PDB file of all heavy atoms in Angstrom:
ATOM      1  N   GLN C1608       4.445   5.661   0.908  1.00  0.00           N
ATOM      2  CA  GLN C1608       4.659   5.634  -0.548  1.00  0.00           C
ATOM      3  C   GLN C1608       4.867   4.197  -1.040  1.00  0.00           C
ATOM      4  O   GLN C1608       4.305   3.778  -2.039  1.00  0.00           O
ATOM      5  CB  GLN C1608       5.900   6.458  -0.838  1.00  0.00           C
ATOM      6  CG  GLN C1608       6.128   6.891  -2.212  1.00  0.00           C
ATOM      7  CD  GLN C1608       7.468   7.650  -2.273  1.00  0.00           C
ATOM      8  OE1 GLN C1608       7.919   8.271  -1.306  1.00  0.00           O
ATOM      9  NE2 GLN C1608       8.117   7.540  -3.430  1.00  0.00           N
ATOM     10  N   ILE C1609       5.650   3.436  -0.273  1.00  0.00           N
ATOM     11  CA  ILE C1609       5.893   2.044  -0.646  1.00  0.00           C
ATOM     12  C   ILE C1609       4.601   1.228  -0.628  1.00  0.00           C
ATOM     13  O   ILE C1609       4.336   0.450  -1.536  1.00  0.00           O
ATOM     14  CB  ILE C1609       6.935   1.424   0.326  1.00  0.00           C
ATOM     15  CG1 ILE C1609       8.303   2.015   0.070  1.00  0.00           C
ATOM     16  CG2 ILE C1609       6.978  -0.109   0.213  1.00  0.00           C
ATOM     17  CD1 ILE C1609       9.363   1.613   1.034  1.00  0.00           C
ATOM     18  N   MET C1610       3.778   1.519   0.398  1.00  0.00           N
ATOM     19  CA  MET C1610       2.518   0.774   0.484  1.00  0.00           C
ATOM     20  C   MET C1610       1.587   1.136  -0.654  1.00  0.00           C
ATOM     21  O   MET C1610       0.896   0.261  -1.186  1.00  0.00           O
ATOM     22  CB  MET C1610       1.856   1.042   1.818  1.00  0.00           C
ATOM     23  CG  MET C1610       2.654   0.456   2.942  1.00  0.00           C
ATOM     24  SD  MET C1610       1.784   0.619   4.490  1.00  0.00           S
ATOM     25  CE  MET C1610       0.605  -0.638   4.331  1.00  0.00           C
ATOM     26  N   GLN C1611       1.553   2.421  -1.006  1.00  0.00           N
ATOM     27  CA  GLN C1611       0.681   2.820  -2.126  1.00  0.00           C
ATOM     28  C   GLN C1611       1.134   2.170  -3.403  1.00  0.00           C
ATOM     29  O   GLN C1611       0.301   1.696  -4.203  1.00  0.00           O
ATOM     30  CB  GLN C1611       0.709   4.344  -2.257  1.00  0.00           C
ATOM     31  CG  GLN C1611       0.143   5.021  -1.031  1.00  0.00           C
ATOM     32  CD  GLN C1611      -0.243   6.456  -1.239  1.00  0.00           C
ATOM     33  OE1 GLN C1611      -0.185   6.962  -2.351  1.00  0.00           O
ATOM     34  NE2 GLN C1611      -0.665   7.148  -0.204  1.00  0.00           N
ATOM     35  N   ARG C1612       2.440   2.117  -3.572  1.00  0.00           N
ATOM     36  CA  ARG C1612       3.028   1.464  -4.762  1.00  0.00           C
ATOM     37  C   ARG C1612       2.641  -0.013  -4.766  1.00  0.00           C
ATOM     38  O   ARG C1612       2.305  -0.577  -5.788  1.00  0.00           O
ATOM     39  CB  ARG C1612       4.537   1.664  -4.712  1.00  0.00           C
ATOM     40  CG  ARG C1612       5.232   1.287  -5.975  1.00  0.00           C
ATOM     41  CD  ARG C1612       5.460   2.510  -6.811  1.00  0.00           C
ATOM     42  NE  ARG C1612       6.167   2.180  -8.046  1.00  0.00           N
ATOM     43  CZ  ARG C1612       6.110   2.930  -9.138  1.00  0.00           C
ATOM     44  NH1 ARG C1612       5.350   3.993  -9.156  1.00  0.00           N
ATOM     45  NH2 ARG C1612       6.780   2.579 -10.191  1.00  0.00           N
ATOM     46  N   SER C1613       2.709  -0.628  -3.587  1.00  0.00           N
ATOM     47  CA  SER C1613       2.367  -2.065  -3.486  1.00  0.00           C
ATOM     48  C   SER C1613       0.893  -2.268  -3.835  1.00  0.00           C
ATOM     49  O   SER C1613       0.544  -3.273  -4.491  1.00  0.00           O
ATOM     50  CB  SER C1613       2.641  -2.583  -2.068  1.00  0.00           C
ATOM     51  OG  SER C1613       3.958  -2.355  -1.703  1.00  0.00           O
ATOM     52  N   ILE C1614       0.033  -1.356  -3.385  1.00  0.00           N
ATOM     53  CA  ILE C1614      -1.384  -1.492  -3.698  1.00  0.00           C
ATOM     54  C   ILE C1614      -1.587  -1.402  -5.213  1.00  0.00           C
ATOM     55  O   ILE C1614      -2.324  -2.195  -5.780  1.00  0.00           O
ATOM     56  CB  ILE C1614      -2.227  -0.406  -2.942  1.00  0.00           C
ATOM     57  CG1 ILE C1614      -2.186  -0.662  -1.431  1.00  0.00           C
ATOM     58  CG2 ILE C1614      -3.685  -0.423  -3.444  1.00  0.00           C
ATOM     59  CD1 ILE C1614      -2.807   0.437  -0.621  1.00  0.00           C
ATOM     60  N   VAL C1615      -0.927  -0.425  -5.833  1.00  0.00           N
ATOM     61  CA  VAL C1615      -1.042  -0.262  -7.292  1.00  0.00           C
ATOM     62  C   VAL C1615      -0.592  -1.552  -8.000  1.00  0.00           C
ATOM     63  O   VAL C1615      -1.265  -2.082  -8.902  1.00  0.00           O
ATOM     64  CB  VAL C1615      -0.249   0.976  -7.791  1.00  0.00           C
ATOM     65  CG1 VAL C1615      -0.170   0.977  -9.315  1.00  0.00           C
ATOM     66  CG2 VAL C1615      -0.857   2.237  -7.282  1.00  0.00           C
ATOM     67  N   ARG C1616       0.539  -2.095  -7.584  1.00  0.00           N
ATOM     68  CA  ARG C1616       1.056  -3.313  -8.187  1.00  0.00           C
ATOM     69  C   ARG C1616       0.063  -4.458  -8.041  1.00  0.00           C
ATOM     70  O   ARG C1616      -0.173  -5.234  -8.971  1.00  0.00           O
ATOM     71  CB  ARG C1616       2.376  -3.726  -7.555  1.00  0.00           C
ATOM     72  CG  ARG C1616       3.508  -2.902  -8.022  1.00  0.00           C
ATOM     73  CD  ARG C1616       4.783  -3.488  -7.520  1.00  0.00           C
ATOM     74  NE  ARG C1616       5.911  -2.665  -7.931  1.00  0.00           N
ATOM     75  CZ  ARG C1616       7.170  -2.970  -7.666  1.00  0.00           C
ATOM     76  NH1 ARG C1616       7.432  -4.037  -6.983  1.00  0.00           N
ATOM     77  NH2 ARG C1616       8.125  -2.196  -8.068  1.00  0.00           N
ATOM     78  N   GLN C1617      -0.511  -4.560  -6.881  1.00  0.00           N
ATOM     79  CA  GLN C1617      -1.445  -5.608  -6.606  1.00  0.00           C
ATOM     80  C   GLN C1617      -2.687  -5.450  -7.514  1.00  0.00           C
ATOM     81  O   GLN C1617      -3.218  -6.425  -8.038  1.00  0.00           O
ATOM     82  CB  GLN C1617      -1.833  -5.567  -5.108  1.00  0.00           C
ATOM     83  CG  GLN C1617      -2.364  -6.863  -4.584  1.00  0.00           C
ATOM     84  CD  GLN C1617      -1.337  -7.994  -4.633  1.00  0.00           C
ATOM     85  OE1 GLN C1617      -0.229  -7.784  -4.198  1.00  0.00           O
ATOM     86  NE2 GLN C1617      -1.728  -9.106  -5.179  1.00  0.00           N
ATOM     87  N   LYS C1618      -3.123  -4.200  -7.657  1.00  0.00           N
ATOM     88  CA  LYS C1618      -4.294  -3.913  -8.525  1.00  0.00           C
ATOM     89  C   LYS C1618      -3.974  -4.303  -9.969  1.00  0.00           C
ATOM     90  O   LYS C1618      -4.813  -4.858 -10.680  1.00  0.00           O
ATOM     91  CB  LYS C1618      -4.679  -2.445  -8.460  1.00  0.00           C
ATOM     92  CG  LYS C1618      -5.281  -2.032  -7.180  1.00  0.00           C
ATOM     93  CD  LYS C1618      -5.409  -0.548  -7.106  1.00  0.00           C
ATOM     94  CE  LYS C1618      -6.729  -0.098  -7.621  1.00  0.00           C
ATOM     95  NZ  LYS C1618      -7.800  -0.416  -6.676  1.00  0.00           N
ATOM     96  N   LEU C1619      -2.749  -3.987 -10.402  1.00  0.00           N
ATOM     97  CA  LEU C1619      -2.378  -4.285 -11.789  1.00  0.00           C
ATOM     98  C   LEU C1619      -2.300  -5.798 -12.036  1.00  0.00           C
ATOM     99  O   LEU C1619      -2.423  -6.235 -13.140  1.00  0.00           O
ATOM    100  CB  LEU C1619      -1.024  -3.649 -12.117  1.00  0.00           C
ATOM    101  CG  LEU C1619      -1.035  -2.128 -12.263  1.00  0.00           C
ATOM    102  CD1 LEU C1619       0.378  -1.562 -12.390  1.00  0.00           C
ATOM    103  CD2 LEU C1619      -1.859  -1.677 -13.478  1.00  0.00           C
ATOM    104  N   MET C1620      -2.114  -6.571 -10.963  1.00  0.00           N
ATOM    105  CA  MET C1620      -2.113  -8.016 -11.127  1.00  0.00           C
ATOM    106  C   MET C1620      -3.505  -8.527 -11.408  1.00  0.00           C
ATOM    107  O   MET C1620      -3.673  -9.536 -12.089  1.00  0.00           O
ATOM    108  CB  MET C1620      -1.549  -8.700  -9.879  1.00  0.00           C
ATOM    109  CG  MET C1620      -0.031  -8.691  -9.790  1.00  0.00           C
ATOM    110  SD  MET C1620       0.574  -9.312  -8.240  1.00  0.00           S
ATOM    111  CE  MET C1620       0.556 -11.053  -8.576  1.00  0.00           C
ATOM    112  N   VAL C1621      -4.469  -7.835 -10.859  1.00  0.00           N
ATOM    113  CA  VAL C1621      -5.865  -8.293 -11.047  1.00  0.00           C
ATOM    114  C   VAL C1621      -6.431  -7.784 -12.365  1.00  0.00           C
ATOM    115  O   VAL C1621      -7.122  -8.513 -13.065  1.00  0.00           O
ATOM    116  CB  VAL C1621      -6.745  -7.797  -9.855  1.00  0.00           C
ATOM    117  CG1 VAL C1621      -8.200  -8.206 -10.028  1.00  0.00           C
ATOM    118  CG2 VAL C1621      -6.201  -8.316  -8.531  1.00  0.00           C
ATOM    119  N   ALA C1622      -6.158  -6.527 -12.701  1.00  0.00           N
ATOM    120  CA  ALA C1622      -6.653  -5.964 -13.945  1.00  0.00           C
ATOM    121  C   ALA C1622      -5.741  -4.836 -14.406  1.00  0.00           C
ATOM    122  O   ALA C1622      -5.159  -4.128 -13.556  1.00  0.00           O
ATOM    123  CB  ALA C1622      -8.069  -5.431 -13.737  1.00  0.00           C
ATOM    124  N   GLN C1623      -5.597  -4.671 -15.686  1.00  0.00           N
ATOM    125  CA  GLN C1623      -4.719  -3.615 -16.210  1.00  0.00           C
ATOM    126  C   GLN C1623      -5.532  -2.611 -17.024  1.00  0.00           C
ATOM    127  O   GLN C1623      -6.468  -2.981 -17.702  1.00  0.00           O
ATOM    128  CB  GLN C1623      -3.639  -4.193 -17.129  1.00  0.00           C
ATOM    129  CG  GLN C1623      -2.681  -5.144 -16.449  1.00  0.00           C
ATOM    130  CD  GLN C1623      -3.207  -6.563 -16.413  1.00  0.00           C
ATOM    131  OE1 GLN C1623      -3.837  -7.002 -17.325  1.00  0.00           O
ATOM    132  NE2 GLN C1623      -2.980  -7.237 -15.284  1.00  0.00           N
ATOM    133  N   PRO C1624      -5.129  -1.327 -16.905  1.00  0.00           N
ATOM    134  CA  PRO C1624      -5.769  -0.350 -17.792  1.00  0.00           C
ATOM    135  C   PRO C1624      -5.241  -0.564 -19.229  1.00  0.00           C
ATOM    136  O   PRO C1624      -4.233  -1.269 -19.424  1.00  0.00           O
ATOM    137  CB  PRO C1624      -5.271   0.987 -17.238  1.00  0.00           C
ATOM    138  CG  PRO C1624      -3.980   0.660 -16.557  1.00  0.00           C
ATOM    139  CD  PRO C1624      -4.112  -0.750 -16.068  1.00  0.00           C
ATOM    140  N   ASP C1625      -5.925  -0.015 -20.226  1.00  0.00           N
ATOM    141  CA  ASP C1625      -5.456  -0.190 -21.604  1.00  0.00           C
ATOM    142  C   ASP C1625      -4.151   0.526 -21.825  1.00  0.00           C
ATOM    143  O   ASP C1625      -3.263   0.046 -22.528  1.00  0.00           O
ATOM    144  CB  ASP C1625      -6.522   0.318 -22.572  1.00  0.00           C
ATOM    145  CG  ASP C1625      -7.824  -0.468 -22.373  1.00  0.00           C
ATOM    146  OD1 ASP C1625      -7.826  -1.653 -22.700  1.00  0.00           O
ATOM    147  OD2 ASP C1625      -8.780   0.105 -21.828  1.00  0.00           O
ATOM    148  N   ILE C1626      -4.044   1.726 -21.278  1.00  0.00           N
ATOM    149  CA  ILE C1626      -2.805   2.480 -21.354  1.00  0.00           C
ATOM    150  C   ILE C1626      -2.356   2.826 -19.927  1.00  0.00           C
ATOM    151  O   ILE C1626      -3.103   3.452 -19.177  1.00  0.00           O
ATOM    152  CB  ILE C1626      -2.980   3.791 -22.204  1.00  0.00           C
ATOM    153  CG1 ILE C1626      -3.385   3.434 -23.631  1.00  0.00           C
ATOM    154  CG2 ILE C1626      -1.701   4.612 -22.168  1.00  0.00           C
ATOM    155  CD1 ILE C1626      -3.599   4.654 -24.500  1.00  0.00           C
ATOM    156  N   TYR C1627      -1.162   2.356 -19.611  1.00  0.00           N
ATOM    157  CA  TYR C1627      -0.608   2.630 -18.276  1.00  0.00           C
ATOM    158  C   TYR C1627       0.632   3.466 -18.386  1.00  0.00           C
ATOM    159  O   TYR C1627       1.592   3.067 -19.048  1.00  0.00           O
ATOM    160  CB  TYR C1627      -0.279   1.272 -17.579  1.00  0.00           C
ATOM    161  CG  TYR C1627       0.459   1.398 -16.271  1.00  0.00           C
ATOM    162  CD1 TYR C1627      -0.157   1.947 -15.164  1.00  0.00           C
ATOM    163  CD2 TYR C1627       1.790   0.986 -16.173  1.00  0.00           C
ATOM    164  CE1 TYR C1627       0.552   2.051 -13.985  1.00  0.00           C
ATOM    165  CE2 TYR C1627       2.480   1.092 -14.997  1.00  0.00           C
ATOM    166  CZ  TYR C1627       1.843   1.638 -13.878  1.00  0.00           C
ATOM    167  OH  TYR C1627       2.555   1.773 -12.688  1.00  0.00           O
ATOM    168  N   ILE C1628       0.576   4.657 -17.789  1.00  0.00           N
ATOM    169  CA  ILE C1628       1.718   5.581 -17.896  1.00  0.00           C
ATOM    170  C   ILE C1628       2.330   5.668 -16.514  1.00  0.00           C
ATOM    171  O   ILE C1628       1.740   6.158 -15.567  1.00  0.00           O
ATOM    172  CB  ILE C1628       1.287   6.969 -18.364  1.00  0.00           C
ATOM    173  CG1 ILE C1628       0.578   6.890 -19.732  1.00  0.00           C
ATOM    174  CG2 ILE C1628       2.491   7.913 -18.411  1.00  0.00           C
ATOM    175  CD1 ILE C1628       1.468   6.553 -20.912  1.00  0.00           C
ATOM    176  N   ASP C1629       3.563   5.159 -16.382  1.00  0.00           N
ATOM    177  CA  ASP C1629       4.298   5.231 -15.131  1.00  0.00           C
ATOM    178  C   ASP C1629       5.273   6.386 -15.232  1.00  0.00           C
ATOM    179  O   ASP C1629       6.328   6.251 -15.852  1.00  0.00           O
ATOM    180  CB  ASP C1629       5.033   3.898 -14.893  1.00  0.00           C
ATOM    181  CG  ASP C1629       5.644   3.802 -13.511  1.00  0.00           C
ATOM    182  OD1 ASP C1629       5.438   4.764 -12.715  1.00  0.00           O
ATOM    183  OD2 ASP C1629       6.308   2.825 -13.242  1.00  0.00           O
ATOM    184  N   VAL C1630       4.895   7.540 -14.722  1.00  0.00           N
ATOM    185  CA  VAL C1630       5.717   8.733 -14.889  1.00  0.00           C
ATOM    186  C   VAL C1630       7.006   8.604 -14.069  1.00  0.00           C
ATOM    187  O   VAL C1630       6.962   8.268 -12.874  1.00  0.00           O
ATOM    188  CB  VAL C1630       4.940  10.019 -14.499  1.00  0.00           C
ATOM    189  CG1 VAL C1630       5.744  11.241 -14.910  1.00  0.00           C
ATOM    190  CG2 VAL C1630       3.576  10.026 -15.162  1.00  0.00           C
ATOM    191  N   GLU C1631       8.133   8.908 -14.701  1.00  0.00           N
ATOM    192  CA  GLU C1631       9.446   8.745 -14.038  1.00  0.00           C
ATOM    193  C   GLU C1631       9.716   9.934 -13.121  1.00  0.00           C
ATOM    194  O   GLU C1631      10.463  10.836 -13.446  1.00  0.00           O
ATOM    195  CB  GLU C1631      10.558   8.620 -15.079  1.00  0.00           C
ATOM    196  CG  GLU C1631      10.496   7.344 -15.883  1.00  0.00           C
ATOM    197  CD  GLU C1631      10.981   6.125 -15.109  1.00  0.00           C
ATOM    198  OE1 GLU C1631      11.920   6.251 -14.284  1.00  0.00           O
ATOM    199  OE2 GLU C1631      10.374   5.042 -15.279  1.00  0.00           O
TER     200      GLU C1631
END
Side-chain angles (χ1 to χ4, degrees):
Chain C
Q1608 196 183 329
I1609 289 175
M1610 292 186 76
Q1611 297 197 4
R1612 192 96 178 155
S1613 302
I1614 294 172
V1615 170
R1616 283 187 181 183
Q1617 202 63 50
K1618 290 170 92 73
L1619 288 172
M1620 280 174 84
V1621 179
Q1623 296 85 38
D1625 300 290
I1626 297 179
Y1627 171 68
I1628 303 290
D1629 188 3
V1630 189
E1631 293 285 324

